[in-house]
Amino acid sequence: MRLLTAGESHGPALVGILDGLPAGLRLSEAEIRRDLARRQFAHGRGGRQRIEKDQARILAGLVRGVTTGAPLALVIENLDYKNWEGLEVPPNRVPRPGHADLAGCLKWGFDDTRFVSERASARETAMRTALGAVCKALLAEAGISCAAQVLQIGTVKAGPADLSDRRRLAAVEASPVRCADRAAAGRMLKAVDRAKAAGETLGGVVQVSAFGVPPGLGSSVQWDRKLDGRIAQALMSIQSVKGVLLGQAEAQAASVGSRSQDAIRWSRGRGYFRPTNRAGGLEGGITNGGVVEARILLKPISTLKKGLPSVDLLSKKAVAASYQRSDTCVVPAAVPVAEAMLAWVLSDALLEKFGGDSVRDLKRALGVFRLRAG
Amino acid sequence: MRLLTAGESHGPALVGILDGLPAGLRLSEAEIRRDLARRQFAHGRGGRQRIEKDQARILAGLVRGVTTGAPLALVIENLDYKNWEGLEVPPNRVPRPGHADLAGCLKWGFDDTRFVSERASARETAMRTALGAVCKALLAEAGISCAAQVLQIGTVKAGPADLSDRRRLAAVEASPVRCADRAAAGRMLKAVDRAKAAGETLGGVVQVSAFGVPPGLGSSVQWDRKLDGRIAQALMSIQSVKGVLLGQAEAQAASVGSRSQDAIRWSRGRGYFRPTNRAGGLEGGITNGGVVEARILLKPISTLKKGLPSVDLLSKKAVAASYQRSDTCVVPAAVPVAEAMLAWVLSDALLEKFGGDSVRDLKRALGVFRLRAG
Amino acid sequence: MRLLTAGESHGPALVGILDGLPAGLRLSEAEIRRDLARRQFAHGRGGRQRIEKDQARILAGLVRGVTTGAPLALVIENLDYKNWEGLEVPPNRVPRPGHADLAGCLKWGFDDTRFVSERASARETAMRTALGAVCKALLAEAGISCAAQVLQIGTVKAGPADLSDRRRLAAVEASPVRCADRAAAGRMLKAVDRAKAAGETLGGVVQVSAFGVPPGLGSSVQWDRKLDGRIAQALMSIQSVKGVLLGQAEAQAASVGSRSQDAIRWSRGRGYFRPTNRAGGLEGGITNGGVVEARILLKPISTLKKGLPSVDLLSKKAVAASYQRSDTCVVPAAVPVAEAMLAWVLSDALLEKFGGDSVRDLKRALGVFRLRAG
Amino acid sequence: MRLLTAGESHGPALVGILDGLPAGLRLSEAEIRRDLARRQFAHGRGGRQRIEKDQARILAGLVRGVTTGAPLALVIENLDYKNWEGLEVPPNRVPRPGHADLAGCLKWGFDDTRFVSERASARETAMRTALGAVCKALLAEAGISCAAQVLQIGTVKAGPADLSDRRRLAAVEASPVRCADRAAAGRMLKAVDRAKAAGETLGGVVQVSAFGVPPGLGSSVQWDRKLDGRIAQALMSIQSVKGVLLGQAEAQAASVGSRSQDAIRWSRGRGYFRPTNRAGGLEGGITNGGVVEARILLKPISTLKKGLPSVDLLSKKAVAASYQRSDTCVVPAAVPVAEAMLAWVLSDALLEKFGGDSVRDLKRALGVFRLRAG
């Protein structure tokens, strides 16, 4: 499959194309809207979310409500666009530390950061979320689901909830910071509010998991077909992410071999299974039948009310970076984005292994395989 | 560029093709041999390294000693092969936890783990190292160098040495565990020896850096062109790696925005610069002119003298995984492998930005850009 | 660069993304519209062209009217859509010979040809034409232009006009069948009208050329980087095309070596040049500085008033394929489509060779190269 | 799948990697040797074929004689290499018209054509042929076979033999010019000999076909997934090929719609079938269940005893291109090369549609599909 997005933060719309979807998947705009709302309405988002009511329109790829094997195209209008259209926006000469502003201006030869920031903005993740919702619908046909939760905001940490438990998952979703640990969630909320008041921003950690993943996705035989690497790329490509950890990476790095692997067991009912999941469901770049599990580390976003030390691109004089309306903490909003990127990689790997022409064929091939691999 | 490797651990040879190298790069087998030796002779390696004297032969891509724009092909013979050729090796029915063994047998439908492990083995990193040495030779023409060091083995940690300082770099290279902190290195050596005596293995952390990288490599505009994601994929694809952290990822995740970014400065002599490098040289998926810096977390390898709990693939009975001659700790050996993968990604990004037909053209375009971006 | 299109013939819209455009290209919807009109209003088109007034809207990729390095997204609304929306269109059970109908229904498991034909339809070439207009705007910055003309419709043939001559090119454009030879054009018009009256359709031949192409695009070193192969793929992928010929392919196949190549000359004013262009500007998969020239052979379209012999997908009974409003001859309309696909391949190759971040950098690198390669 | 080759004409060896082969394919060097011999010993080849006895060694990808899902690597030694090694070969300053020589020297900045011609040489097709033999072995498991024949050499033409008839195929193979029409073959032989005596070379036409191809390979939905385009690229990328025609392209271009398509029929025994095959087995970029059929037009090779008019790269003076030992006519030798490239594209498309992990899984999925698509 191929997934491309386009669109500027204050341009007319975001556009996405997903090429390679199998035929026979029933899709509606409603199920995409749900994930868009999860991304929009999370604690820590800024004023823009009061303007946007993100809604993806399916412009291509469906006939009579089902996919046909043709590329799917989505469009999300930027409602904020009409507020900007025709406006004479003055150039922004002061790159914000932590953003693509300066690196981009040097790369493309601009002296107005808007040429860079309009596209580098995390607004783009709205389209990833929408396309990810489509991937999730495909995975659902294969009995696979993705879910994520917040484990840390700033210095406040929480233990992971078991997201295979529907009630725990519901508790995560009910929390404005996507954390089922009520005490921790309370402290996170306060930390965000305090940061906001101080003109600051906060980073954190999100855990993302996939349940029901069959063994055998990905491959060990070539560096760029290893699924661990592909998941790392997809997650690291999310704006603000600076680290990707699979399974219990830090504990493994500090431990001995006999306490770092997942013993192999077999029982008539369950087939092969592992009592532990230190590997995060990936061995040798291949899914091993366990829960696929990764954590991403997000830095605080770099648009701050108290502008950071910077330089004017023309005069080269030291000035503070300017402030634009912005979020305080994007960690809870990253929950559906991380799910989307994981769902994308798994969908792609699933179609590679089982063939990609129709959902019916996919399900049959997967069914045969699950029986054999049990 | 494209980089493909092939070859089994006990097959006749490892083979690699690097497609897309510019013309005019002078290459010799000697400079490749140096990195192969760094990979081979590091503390913690097992008995096989006494058999192999890895030497890459350049079979294609050079005319009169220089590259021509044609694909480069390398071959590394497995000297151990003649010890195995013709032998009737009995099938191995017991997958090792932590290896690709079980996931691979399910994926491809095998009941002998050798069909999987022969290729999944980290022996393959010898070819990555060799091709990486070629990428480093290309980067050297652009004033870019890669270096790595061990920061942790098991529970023993060391602070990073400044590898832009030649003497510190020499100290790293002189250390059998690739750690310039003598006290820590001593403890690491002991930890490895103790683990070996106990039939155990050890993981750890390697930091890899690239110096002299111009700003503007990679891109912020599409998820799969972001350089942070591409570096994460390349590093995570190394056998045993379970985590990739850019810059000061953990500190950023726990901190506030004003203390997580790198202030922008400018001076007549240095152009734009940053007093700090929390971002690891990457902002918005683009290099920012700073040192590109990543850490990788490696788990202990999974072939242990004391076999881990597993299951016979045919009888499904619980048995211990079998032992084969193996390493105790691959963390020091991962130093040139990490350098190789970073060098590969940066070479690829460099050619994308500056065009790829000849080293001379590349250097001219880069020179013009460095002047402008100063 | 990457070029993806999406969109059904009677769906809401066609969508296209062009990823990898350099920054600094000034673009407007007007110049795209011109090529869309050339595709729409050519002799032989059917009734639908009275409904559509194809207009591409730029939804993404521009800031202040120039490209930024970000992906460009275009949308062309299907005005006909509102006539179909909500209609209960009965399934079509009878695949048309020559279309993707049957092959597609078998591939994806459908028993209604609309699931296939909606996307397989040549309506999709409207978006290719629009994206091709963008590629042409890029090529224009490099002094490269593309033009095409009709050489044959049915059995009526015409000699090629020299399209580097502005007046001849204007004559081609003024002709409703895109043929500058007035006598031949007259016979072509009559042939089309006669075919229409007979419920028939007609094929033909289009020649497409690129002027001002520097030597050195493409490569001889790897099968899939050869520019001749890439041009062949792009042109053969156009609906109805069944053959691609470079230069004077048939004459070369039947001739001897000394009369099949293009002698090399050099003069102070022109540098290297060739008195002939049998090679169509391509030697060894690389442009040689001559005019890049290809011909495409189009079959008559397969939707005929007199339905061809077919079979009902459910009953398996022999029936005639059904008729839908359709064109009689798409050969003149293929002129801008062929230009678009050639412009796409050349743009891609240009950016590969000269680097792709900004039009200014591209032009400088190209200028240096043209001086050297003169 | 990915297919890369490397290797110079007079370097130590040709190298090839095929990445993505399914597991469980039994392979031997013997079956590869057969196609290499077919390429080597055909009428019209030059003196070098008396030196080379092309033999591909499998260096990677097999365990116990079967593929494992790992990349396959082949090496063909250039026996001629030892005759050249260490020799001080003077630079060649005179590019041959028709070769990549001049275009390549300009592209990469060389003034010695050997830097270009060593890789651009058709010697590279030996490795394509070897990798193609592997693809054919895979296709054979799916009931698909490829065969080719010569239809024209110079001005001598022959009608196509029905290659699905074993005896006709044997007759083609028995002919030194790969043409089953004895009278025509005799005239072709004489034409080649006459050309050789005259210091000339000859081009011609080869038809390549694939039998037993299921419907549904390739796709109509995206320009670069259309199988007609992918076949065109693969065939056009063969050295000396200047044209690719599918089915009865020229006849279709000159005919009316009702005589250009293949009527659809159905019978209980055969399922869907077509009494004609004007489309060459491809409709809308998808295989339709018919014989896949293409013709390639080859120009005469450009290394002639009577050197063509050229220019010295340094002095810019007019001189004749120099002669090297060469072939007179490569058209018969192109037969296995064309088969190889078609087998490659079909293998790739087969694995895309049916999934690629093991031959057993592939065959089961294909079996289910053949039943349904009957």
Side-chain angles (χ1 to χ4, degrees), chain D residues 94-166:
Chain D
V94 188
R96 290 160 297 171
H99 260 269
D101 290 0
L102 179 58
C105 279
L106 296 175
K107 176 181 181 66
W108 288 293
F110 290 124
D111 53 16
D112 175 355
T113 64
R114 282 189 216 290
F115 286 101
V116 176
S117 61
E118 275 297 314
R119 175 64 190 158
S121 159
R123 172 79 187 135
E124 181 255 349
T125 59
M127 183 47 78
R128 298 205 206 190
T129 302
L131 295 170
V134 175
C135 293
K136 283 181 188 176
L138 174 64
L139 291 179
E141 296 281 343
I144 302 170
S145 64
C146 293
Q149 60 185 317
V150 170
L151 295 187
Q152 182 183 333
I153 287 183
T155 55
V156 186
K157 298 187 183 187
D162 176 1
L163 300 185
S164 69
D165 176 337
R166 274 163 184 265

Side-chain angles (χ1 to χ4, degrees), chain C residues 84-136:
Chain C
W84 290 74
E85 208 180 2
L87 270 191
E88 281 280 335
V89 186
N92 186 344
R93 305 289 187 203
V94 188
R96 290 159 297 170
H99 259 269
D101 290 359
L102 179 58
C105 279
L106 296 175
K107 176 181 181 66
W108 288 293
F110 290 125
D111 53 16
D112 176 355
T113 65
R114 283 189 216 289
F115 286 101
V116 177
S117 60
E118 275 297 314
R119 175 66 190 158
S121 157
R123 171 82 187 131
E124 181 254 350
T125 58
M127 183 47 76
R128 297 204 207 190
T129 302
L131 294 171
V134 175
C135 293
K136 282 180 187 176

